[in-house]
Amino acid sequence: MPPKRAISPEPLHPPSAIYRSTPITDRSSRFIAIYSPSLTAQQLQSRPELGDATHRITASRVPSTQRSLDPSQQPLYTATHSDDGEKYAGKALASVLSDLNVQGSIVVARWYGGIMLGPVRFDHIKNCAREAISKHLNSSEQQVLRAKKARTVVSHEEEKRKGDLIRVLPERDRSISVLRGLLAEKQSAMESSSPQGEKPVSPAKVPEYAKLPLKTLENLERARDATIGWILAQIEKVEVAQQAEIGHQAEIGEQAETGPPAELAQQPEIPQQPETTKKPETTAKTSTTANTN
């Protein structure tokens, strides 16, 4: 008979940080909490330092294997707890994990001192748990992870913002080119009745927006918006001037058709004096006859 196959040893768990609370003592009863973001509740409960505790209350909160159909919803978690003889204590401990929005496992050990504490024991259990979890949240390791996560979120938002600007800025450039052409056309119409001789406005060279940093793209967006606003204001001024010129020309045309204004037509006609023709003076020349005797 062949020998039995040797049982494979259990894999060693990677080292995980453990966070302990300060012990709370009340009328000879003592409470202490131990939290770990990666160890299981059973691993914490079986620690030698808690072997002689009267109660070892546990709670855990880990990501669920189920996935929501709506990606915008918060991730799902699976929560478990154990009273270990302290009725309702496990549920109170699980609420601490949920309130602080952390995942992992926690155990609160109580050494009973012989005096019943009443409802205040639940306060001690939750306060111990909060202190142990807070040490985890305030640890340098967790701060680094939070900073890295924040940078990832910011980087994602910056990439999205940059993509939007790369798409929007060419549209702004086309709008500016069209508006400049419209402004030039209206200005030439004001200066000459034949704007066909005007050369069209050549569009400016479009930069390679994809190669520019986000800060530069944001500055360009503000500059493009300011340019569009200025051109629109100039177009409005030209249109106002055009309307005034049209009104002036219409007024001149009406005066040409209807003659002089009524106040001038009502003035009495001044009779003209007949012209007197002045006859040319004739100088009578008398000839003197000299008689020569």
Side-chain angles (χ1 to χ4, degrees):
M1 187 174 180
K4 293 183 179 180
R5 183 179 177 181
I7 300 175
S8 300
E10 294 184 1
L12 296 176
H13 294 281
S16 176
I18 293 177
Y19 304 90
R20 295 175 176 81
S21 70
T22 304
I24 294 178
T25 302
D26 184 5
R27 285 164 285 182
S28 301
S29 288
R30 188 163 62 95
F31 301 83
I32 190 171
I34 300 178
Y35 167 78
S36 173
S38 58
L39 296 179
T40 65
Q42 289 75 16
Q43 289 174 322
L44 294 179
Q45 198 175 37
S46 61
R47 294 188 65 82
E49 59 197 277
L50 308 180
D52 60 344
T54 309
H55 306 286
R56 290 171 293 177
I57 309 142
T58 61
S60 64
R61 186 172 182 258
V62 296
S64 175
T65 55
Q66 298 180 357
R67 293 292 179 267
S68 174
L69 297 177
D70 186 0
S72 63
Q73 290 186 352
Q74 295 294 329
L76 302 177
Y77 292 92
T78 299
T80 59
H81 59 82
S82 171
D83 294 336
D84 194 34
E86 190 72 85
K87 195 172 181 180
Y88 306 121
K91 186 176 181 180
L93 193 58
S95 67
V96 176
L97 294 174
S98 178
D99 292 343
L100 296 178
N101 193 25
V102 294
Q103 64 184 46
S105 301
I106 190 165
V107 58
V108 175
R110 178 191 179 184
W111 287 265
Y112 180 62
I115 301 174
M116 300 181 65
L117 303 181
V120 73
R121 68 188 187 277
F122 297 112
D123 295 335
H124 297 329
I125 291 170
K126 291 190 287 187
N127 289 338
C128 283
R130 289 193 188 97
E131 182 183 349
I133 296 172
S134 296
K135 288 182 178 180
H136 159 66
L137 296 176
N138 295 330
S139 65
S140 58
E141 176 186 357
Q142 189 65 15
Q143 289 177 356
V144 170
L145 292 176
R146 287 200 301 271
K148 184 178 180 180
K149 184 178 180 180
R151 285 195 300 270
T152 303
V153 173
V154 171
S155 177
H156 177 71
E157 292 178 352
E158 288 180 350
E159 288 297 326
K160 183 177 182 301
R161 172 66 173 156
K162 184 174 180 179
D164 293 341
L165 290 174
I166 292 173
R167 175 181 54 82
V168 167
L169 284 173
E171 298 177 0
R172 296 281 201 282
D173 292 336
R174 288 190 289 270
S175 299
I176 290 173
S177 179
V178 172
L179 290 173
R180 279 177 174 166
L182 179 61
L183 177 59
E185 180 181 349
K186 289 182 176 295
Q187 288 175 339
S188 63
M190 287 286 296
E191 297 171 358
S192 172
S193 59
S194 57
Q196 289 81 3
E198 295 291 333
K199 295 182 179 179
V201 179
S202 58
K205 183 180 178 181
V206 178
E208 297 183 9
Y209 293 118
K211 295 182 178 180
L212 299 177
L214 177 61
K215 188 67 176 177
T216 303
L217 293 175
E218 290 177 340
N219 292 336
L220 288 174
E221 183 190 30
R222 287 191 289 269
R224 298 295 189 271
D225 290 341
T227 301
I228 290 174
W230 181 84
I231 297 175
L232 290 174
Q234 296 303 310
I235 291 175
E236 184 178 0
K237 290 181 180 179
V238 174
E239 289 177 345
V240 170
Q242 285 178 337
Q243 292 297 326
E245 180 66 20
I246 292 172
H248 179 64
Q249 294 296 333
E251 183 179 350
I252 294 175
E254 290 178 0
Q255 291 179 0
E257 293 177 359
T258 59
E263 58 270 13
L264 295 179
Q266 293 175 0
Q267 291 182 359
E269 185 178 357
I270 300 174
Q272 297 182 353
Q273 297 293 333
E275 295 183 358
T276 57
T277 58
K278 187 176 182 181
K279 294 182 179 181
E281 295 181 359
T282 58
T283 305
K285 294 182 179 181
T286 59
S287 58
T288 308
T289 304
N291 295 323
T292 52
N293 293 323

